Amino acid sequence: MRLTTGRVFDSLGELNAASAHLQRAAELFERELGSSHPQTLASRYQLAITLSNASDYEQAAAVLGAADSDALVAGSNPEAELAAARAWGRWYLLQGRAAEAAPELEKAALAQRQLQPNDLQTLHEIRSDQAQAYNHMGRAEEAVALLQELQQPQYRRAASPARKASTDFLLGAALLYAERYGEAEAVLLNASGALDKIYGEDSVQSARARSALGNLYFTIGRAPEALPMLIAARATLCKLYGPQHQVCLQHHGNEGIARLQLGEDRQARQQLELAHGGFRERFGDSFTGTQVLAYYLAATLLAAGETEQAATLIGGLDPAILASGSPGAHWGARVGALAATLLLLRGQVDEAVRQLREAVAAMEAAQLQPWILAPFREYLRSGEAMLQAANKS
């Protein structure tokens, strides 16, 4: 009963309650059955998943490590290995470490098919996580194919209405990553309506769907439509999760980026500083979310002429880490354009113009959205005007 109750609370986003029930379940199983019993191990791996969902990665890792040690003492146990792969995959996935998550989730999906072929609901959950990992690895079309597989009748029959709506939401997000925007909008609108009916408009699930729709509109340059959705999603998720939770901080960042696109620089900076500071304190400078927020905060600071603080942020950007959080966004050229803008504002005009021309050409070739390109084109025009004026004099 404790285990089942914990899983229910986890599905509702009530993670503190879920953790308490799952912790007690693990203690009871250990007392009655021993630390290496398959049921004890399963409950501990489930606890680790919930702790990961709560962004308590350090405690989740401790639970995972202890469970792995007890599983090793017990010897070969395919069920425990399945539970471990699933939990480690989730742990990596939520930290933006998709390349490490994917093989664990692939292992879990294979084991699930072999050990529990009739439990399509659990396989459905594993494959959903697997698709998210593929999204963040730049393998969006593979994610779309995997999620479309879950639309087949045998999976739809096995899934609850809530699970089906959640899968539709994930499919819409995958289509967004795959830049299939028209398809993504239709799927996300349908999923959002279904989640509103099932969970209510003030639920975690509905807020995430609104956030995805907002991100879609933001991506395709419809920021005025995106911003109210992102604000509403941020307000709901911060209320439910708390102000320092990763999900809340992420949505402050999303709102800040949208405001930056709309030219609301002051409000954008407030949101981005809050989100970046929270991510940096909790996860460090090399965390994917920290890097993405640092990029946009640096752009905001450059627009305000605050070059020293911007230089510190730009110096710490890693295009490979940025790509793991937002694949296909051509981060090398974008970071190069930021660095060139910094040179321009510091008076190194010749070199700045050379680098800006190169970066802008690369972004144009990649057909990045106009709102991404516009400020760098303006900086380039300004730099070229400075060179022309210098040559005339």
Side-chain angles (χ1 to χ4, degrees):
M1 288 298 295
R2 289 280 191 178
L3 182 61
T4 301
T5 302
R7 285 172 171 161
V8 170
F9 275 120
D10 187 291
S11 72
L12 294 171
E14 299 283 350
L15 300 177
N16 289 334
S19 297
H21 283 287
L22 292 168
Q23 178 69 50
R24 185 57 180 153
E27 292 169 355
L28 291 170
F29 281 127
E30 183 171 0
R31 187 186 74 187
E32 298 297 325
L33 303 173
S35 61
S36 298
H37 191 277
Q39 185 65 77
T40 305
L41 292 170
S43 66
R44 290 162 74 186
Y45 285 124
Q46 181 63 54
L47 172 60
I49 288 174
T50 295
L51 290 168
S52 297
N53 291 341
S55 301
D56 192 349
Y57 302 122
E58 185 175 350
Q59 183 60 28
V63 172
L64 285 166
D68 283 353
S69 296
D70 287 333
L72 189 63
V73 170
S76 178
N77 185 321
E79 287 80 7
E81 291 168 10
L82 163 59
R86 185 181 176 196
W88 278 110
R90 186 75 176 163
W91 188 79
Y92 285 125
L93 176 67
L94 292 174
Q95 295 178 83
R97 297 164 63 176
E100 295 165 280
E104 295 288 349
L105 294 166
E106 289 163 357
K107 177 181 175 182
L110 178 61
Q112 183 68 31
R113 286 185 185 278
Q114 293 173 341
L115 296 172
Q116 301 164 9
N118 295 323
D119 186 357
L120 295 180
Q121 181 175 343
T122 299
L123 180 60
H124 197 288
E125 294 171 4
I126 295 170
R127 299 291 263 175
S128 296
D129 278 355
Q130 190 180 342
Q132 291 182 75
Y134 288 166
N135 272 335
H136 290 288
M137 295 170 71
R139 297 162 59 181
E141 290 295 349
E142 290 178 72
V144 169
L146 198 158
L147 290 162
Q148 287 176 334
E149 177 189 332
L150 297 181
Q151 303 292 323
Q152 294 178 2
Q154 66 269 31
Y155 290 108
R156 300 294 280 188
R157 285 194 297 268
S160 66
R163 172 55 58 180
K164 285 185 279 193
S166 296
T167 304
D168 292 344
F169 157 65
L170 291 175
L171 175 59
L175 289 165
L176 169 58
Y177 273 105
E179 300 181 6
R180 293 161 61 174
Y181 300 129
E183 295 171 79
E185 181 177 11
V187 173
L188 286 171
L189 283 169
N190 181 66
S192 180
L195 291 168
D196 282 350
K197 290 179 181 177
I198 293 167
Y199 292 104
E201 294 185 4
D202 294 328
S203 64
V204 168
Q205 293 81 2
S206 292
R208 286 183 180 276
R210 281 195 296 275
S211 175
L213 268 171
N215 283 329
L216 167 64
Y217 293 145
F218 164 73
T219 299
I220 61 178
R222 293 162 59 181
E225 295 172 78
L227 185 58
M229 292 183 173
L230 294 174
I231 291 172
R234 184 261 303 161
T236 298
L237 292 168
C238 289
K239 178 181 177 181
L240 294 173
Y241 282 106
Q244 293 306 310
H245 192 277
Q246 178 181 344
V247 171
C248 176
L249 294 171
Q250 175 189 339
H251 283 79
H252 275 293
N254 289 346
E255 181 183 335
I257 295 167
R259 289 186 182 278
L260 181 62
Q261 182 181 344
L262 287 167
E264 299 178 5
D265 291 350
R266 183 179 61 82
Q267 298 96 322
R269 178 172 177 173
Q270 290 175 346
Q271 297 292 330
L272 290 167
E273 285 182 332
L274 188 158
H276 176 261
F279 266 86
R280 187 181 185 198
E281 181 179 352
R282 293 200 63 187
F283 307 117
D285 288 318
S286 297
F287 186 69
T288 303
T290 311
Q291 289 266 313
V292 172
L293 291 163
Y295 170 87
Y296 287 108
L297 179 56
T300 305
L301 292 168
L302 288 177
E306 298 185 30
T307 57
E308 293 311 310
Q309 189 178 347
T312 301
L313 294 171
I314 294 168
L317 293 176
D318 184 333
I321 297 175
L322 286 160
S324 71
S326 183
H330 302 279
W331 287 107
R334 294 173 70 179
V335 172
L338 270 188
T341 301
L342 178 63
L343 291 178
L344 180 69
L345 296 178
R346 285 177 163 176
Q348 298 172 247
V349 181
D350 286 344
E351 183 60 20
V353 168
R354 185 189 69 78
Q355 292 185 21
L356 276 169
R357 284 172 177 162
E358 183 178 312
V360 168
M363 289 189 284
E364 288 175 340
Q367 297 182 323
L368 292 188
Q369 291 92 345
W371 71 269
I372 295 174
L373 271 162
F376 296 119
R377 284 174 170 156
E378 186 58 36
Y379 285 127
L380 177 56
R381 282 193 290 268
S382 176
E384 289 173 337
M386 291 179 192
L387 287 180
Q388 289 176 356
N391 289 335
K392 288 180 180 178
S393 64

